[in-house]
Amino acid sequence: MKAFLKWAGGKSKISPIIKSHFNEGKRLVEPFVGSGALFLNTNFEEYLLCDTNIDLINLYNNLKNCPEDLITKTKELFTIKNNTEKQFYILRDRFNSLNPEQIEKSALFVYLNKHAFNGLCRYNSKGFFNVPYGRYKNPSFPEDKMYDFAHKSQRATFKCQDFKITFNETKKGDIVYCDPPYVPLSATSSFTSYSKNNFDLMEQEQLAKYAEESKHRGIQCIISNHDLQITRELYIKAKIYELQVQRNIASKSTSRKKVGEIIAVF
């Protein structure tokens, strides 16, 4: 199954590689679920899927609990009339005015994901979605993929929470896969620029610590990140696997090059 959302760093293409490192387990836990690509391509009895993006988690819960209503409302947004710059900004303002749990906001989240520039998900300091219009000719409505997600999600629990809380809810026998905000390829040792993304070096260190502690509790933990000296130092107590990954979300096709990543298995 394929994810119905565009997502920076989505794991659809490399999910078979990630799965090849899994031990046996009944529940997959993802503290950074993103588009849910790995969830959709695994077959666990249970899932605990978390993220700090409340709009994303409410979308998933609404799709799980009210699939027909949400999919119908979303389909109504995918029209020629709504694929104009003027209408895009009207609908973006509407999205920013709604309460997170509303089904209409979840429908608009999917609309924005497909119509905004490069499929990015970004908010300003006031918490307003602020990605500009993407100028796509005919954004496709992912109806079948949304139904697939809704069906699979009956085995999942979705929570909006910090990764540390999610780790505290894990139990022996779980498999934990972490796809955190990556350390930038151009980051300096001080992480000056990286800290603006609200996931700084301290949190990267905490994540590695939680992964190591989980291993001692009988919980396998796997983390993806860029292949850098600093990440190899962070995951020094894990087994490291290297891979090259194509970047498809760059705005220019000439910038879509393969970059080095690692999979750290604790």
Side-chain angles (χ1 to χ4, degrees):
M1 285 189 275
K2 292 185 178 180
F4 67 91
L5 294 175
K6 294 181 181 180
W7 210 257
K11 294 298 182 285
S12 294
K13 292 183 179 179
I14 65 168
S15 59
I17 299 173
I18 296 168
K19 289 191 298 180
S20 70
H21 298 292
F22 285 173
N23 293 334
E24 292 293 323
K26 291 185 177 181
R27 185 172 74 156
L28 176 65
V29 179
E30 292 194 62
F32 311 88
V33 66
S35 69
L38 192 65
F39 154 64
L40 291 167
N41 288 283
T42 53
N43 190 30
F44 287 82
E45 292 180 22
E46 300 175 60
Y47 295 87
L48 174 59
L49 307 174
C50 307
D51 205 282
T52 56
N53 185 324
I54 191 169
D55 295 321
L56 180 69
I57 295 301
N58 282 332
L59 165 61
Y60 291 161
N61 276 318
N62 283 331
L63 188 53
K64 174 183 177 180
N65 299 321
C66 313
E68 293 290 344
D69 192 10
L70 174 56
I71 292 171
T72 298
K73 282 183 168 59
T74 307
K75 189 173 186 177
E76 292 170 353
L77 295 167
F78 282 72
T79 64
I80 295 174
K81 174 190 171 184
N82 287 335
N83 191 24
T84 65
E85 188 167 6
K86 179 180 178 181
Q87 192 64 15
F88 172 84
Y89 288 112
I90 289 172
L91 291 173
R92 193 182 76 172
D93 287 344
R94 175 66 179 165
F95 173 85
N96 286 325
S97 73
L98 296 171
N99 293 324
E101 68 276 4
Q102 290 182 257
I103 287 181
E104 182 187 354
K105 185 158 192 172
S106 292
L108 284 165
F109 189 93
V110 181
Y111 164 85
L112 292 172
N113 178 262
K114 297 297 185 180
H115 291 76
F117 176 75
N118 231 13
L120 295 174
C121 184
R122 185 186 67 199
Y123 299 81
N124 63 21
S125 60
K126 294 181 179 179
F128 294 151
F129 186 93
N130 68 349
V131 183
Y133 179 53
R135 302 181 186 279
Y136 298 109
K137 266 191 175 181
N138 187 29
S140 60
F141 170 55
E143 183 171 6
D144 291 341
K145 293 176 185 177
M146 289 181 75
Y147 274 115
D148 288 341
F149 193 102
H151 177 73
K152 183 75 177 283
S153 67
Q154 301 309 307
R155 284 188 264 166
T157 298
F158 299 99
K159 292 186 177 183
C160 181
Q161 60 190 28
D162 183 83
F163 75 89
K164 294 181 281 294
I165 297 173
T166 303
F167 267 96
N168 288 333
E169 294 181 2
T170 58
K171 56 190 177 183
K172 186 176 180 179
D174 284 343
I175 307 297
V176 181
Y177 173 67
C178 299
D179 185 25
Y182 277 18
V183 177
L185 294 170
S186 59
T188 63
S189 59
S190 65
F191 271 62
T192 303
S193 60
Y194 192 43
S195 62
K196 294 177 184 177
N197 294 330
N198 299 319
F199 203 89
D200 57 16
L201 177 57
M202 182 178 294
E203 291 198 278
Q204 293 282 1
E205 291 173 339
Q206 287 177 330
L207 177 59
K209 181 182 177 183
Y210 273 88
E212 185 183 343
E213 291 173 350
S214 293
K215 180 181 178 180
H216 296 309
R217 293 169 52 213
I219 301 168
Q220 185 189 36
C221 185
I222 297 172
I223 306 176
S224 292
N225 216 317
H226 279 140
D227 188 356
L228 300 168
Q229 181 180 346
I230 194 164
T231 52
R232 285 179 176 263
E233 291 172 358
L234 284 169
Y235 311 141
I236 194 167
K237 296 188 178 179
K239 191 164 186 180
I240 301 294
Y241 298 89
E242 303 171 3
L243 67 159
Q244 293 289 311
V245 177
Q246 186 77 36
R247 282 284 175 263
N248 293 322
I249 204 162
S251 58
K252 295 181 180 179
S253 59
T254 53
S255 300
R256 296 172 188 173
K257 301 176 181 179
K258 288 189 175 182
V259 296
E261 290 192 10
I262 55 174
I263 297 174
V265 180
F266 288 85

